[in-house]
Amino acid sequence: MLRDARPGCRPGRSFRRSMRPAVLLFLAAWLAAVSSADAECPVEPTLKNYTGGGTVACPCFGTGEQAGALLNAPSDHYPIEILRVGIGWGSQDGGAPQSLEEAIHIYGTGLPSPGLPLFSLEGPQLTDGVINEFDLEPMPGEIIVPSGPFTVTLEFANPNAGDPFAPSMVHDGNGCQGGKNVVYAIPGGWNDACALGVSGDWIVYVVYRKMSCPIGVDGERVAGAGPVALFPPRPNPLTDRADLEFYLPRAERVTLAVYDVAGREVSRIAEGAFAAGRHRVSWDARDADGALGAGIYLVQLRAGSERVTQKLSIAER
C-alpha cells in the first residue's frame, strides 16, 4: 500500500515561471495588502476516484505516453483553482530510485480527447511507494479550471513497459470505473483505461478551492470574485504562431499585448470588450511591427484593474 507523501514530500518543483517587467512589481504589494485568510474560499475536500491505497503498479508505458484520471467537482464549484496534485507511484518490490518523468498535465476537458493542457508541471520527480504531492500554490498565477470534467495525467519520460520491477503509475485494483480513467497510448491516442484492461482507478487526486464563494464580514454576506487568468502560450517556445487563452470572471474591457523585457509594447494582440468566460486568440509573431526576432518576451493581459503576465519565447526560425 502506498504511503501518502502529503504535505512534506513535494518534489518536482521545476515549474514554468512567469517573468514580470518592473512596472508590474506594484501588483505584489497590492495583492499582499488585500489578501487574507478571510478573503479566500476554503480548501475543498480532496477530489479523486480511487478507494483505499494503491496496490497495483502498471509497468506498461513508453516514453511520451500518459495515464491519469478524469475528475469532476460539483457543478456549482466552478471555476476552481487547483492547489495541489497527487500521483501514486510504485514498483512491485519497492525501493526503486527516484524517477524524473516528463510532466504532469492538467487538461480542461475529458474524453474522447482533452485537447491542449491548461497547465503543465515539467520534470516531476517521483518517489517509489508514496503518493507524491506537488504543491502548485507557489506558481506565479492561479491554475484555473473553468468547468468540468477535467483531466490530470502523468506523461512518462522513462519507458517501463515489460519490466516488472520498474516503478510506474499505480491503481487501486478495486475495479475500473468507466469514463474516469484515461491512457494516452502511442500509437492509439486517448483511451478509456478500462477498455485497455486496467483493473482499477489510477491513484490521482487534486486539492482545490472555488474561485468565488460567500465571505462573512461582520454578519454580512459578500460575494468573492475570482481573478482574471492568462494561461501559458501554446506552443512555447514558438517559431511563428501561438494560441493565447485567458479567463474572465466577469465581462471586462481587455487589452492583450506583447512586451519586450525592457517593458516596451511590441505587438497589440487584442483589444475590446469580452464576455465572462474562457477566450482563445491566435497570434503570429511575423505580424508584429518589424516581425519579432528570437528571444524572451512577455504577454500581458489587462482586464479592468487587473494585470496578468506570462513569459513567451520565440525560437530561431
Side-chain angles (χ1 to χ4, degrees):
M1 182 175 292
L2 293 179
R3 293 182 288 111
D4 194 330
R6 297 179 291 173
C9 179
R10 292 178 177 174
R13 302 173 71 97
S14 178
F15 299 131
R16 285 196 178 116
R17 297 188 178 275
S18 298
M19 295 176 64
R20 294 177 170 82
V23 294
L24 299 179
L25 291 178
F26 78 94
L27 286 176
W30 178 81
L31 287 171
V34 301
S35 298
S36 69
D38 291 335
E40 289 184 340
C41 297
V43 174
E44 298 293 332
T46 299
L47 195 59
K48 62 180 184 178
N49 297 327
Y50 65 90
T51 57
T55 59
V56 182
C58 184
C60 45
F61 295 98
T63 300
E65 295 187 320
Q66 301 179 48
L70 195 152
L71 302 170
N72 201 5
S75 59
D76 61 346
H77 284 197
Y78 291 101
I80 61 175
E81 177 189 0
I82 306 298
L83 305 176
R84 297 187 290 280
V85 173
I87 301 288
W89 186 255
S91 63
Q92 176 176 295
D93 294 335
Q98 288 186 320
S99 183
L100 189 67
E101 298 301 327
E102 186 65 31
I104 292 172
H105 300 297
I106 299 176
Y107 298 89
T109 57
L111 293 169
S113 174
L116 294 174
L118 298 177
F119 167 80
S120 295
L121 173 63
E122 298 177 335
Q125 185 169 286
L126 294 139
T127 299
D128 189 0
V130 302
I131 303 177
N132 294 258
E133 183 172 275
F134 300 86
D135 186 358
L136 307 183
E137 285 193 87
M139 293 295 295
E142 292 81 2
I143 300 163
I144 299 170
V145 178
S147 62
F150 62 98
T151 305
V152 179
T153 69
L154 173 72
E155 180 180 350
F156 293 85
N158 302 297
N160 54 48
D163 183 353
F165 303 105
S168 185
M169 285 279 287
V170 173
H171 63 75
D172 62 7
N174 293 331
C176 184
Q177 301 181 69
K180 294 188 176 182
N181 300 273
V182 299
V183 166
Y184 179 79
I186 302 175
W190 291 102
N191 297 269
D192 188 317
C194 306
L196 298 181
V198 177
S199 59
D201 296 323
W202 297 118
I203 308 298
V204 174
Y205 70 75
V206 299
V207 176
Y208 74 96
R209 62 172 161 241
K210 295 183 286 185
M211 295 301 298
S212 62
C213 60
I215 300 168
V217 182
D218 297 328
E220 183 180 358
R221 306 301 285 180
V222 180
V228 169
L230 176 63
F231 300 103
R234 296 286 180 181
N236 195 16
L238 63 97
T239 52
D240 297 316
R241 299 185 64 85
D243 285 333
L244 298 163
E245 294 187 73
F246 58 92
Y247 170 78
L248 302 174
R250 65 190 70 81
E252 292 279 11
R253 184 166 183 81
V254 161
T255 301
L256 185 65
V258 178
Y259 295 81
D260 63 21
V261 293
R264 295 183 294 259
E265 182 178 319
V266 293
S267 180
R268 182 70 59 95
I269 300 172
E271 187 172 29
F274 284 78
R278 190 183 182 97
H279 303 274
R280 175 185 292 182
V281 295
S282 293
W283 175 70
D284 194 324
R286 296 169 298 181
D287 294 337
D289 292 340
L292 299 184
I296 302 297
Y297 297 86
L298 301 156
V299 181
Q300 183 188 97
L301 174 69
R302 288 182 285 166
S305 62
E306 297 189 65
R307 305 286 189 275
V308 190
T309 305
Q310 289 281 358
K311 183 178 74 173
L312 181 147
S313 301
I314 299 179
E316 293 283 356
R317 298 183 179 91

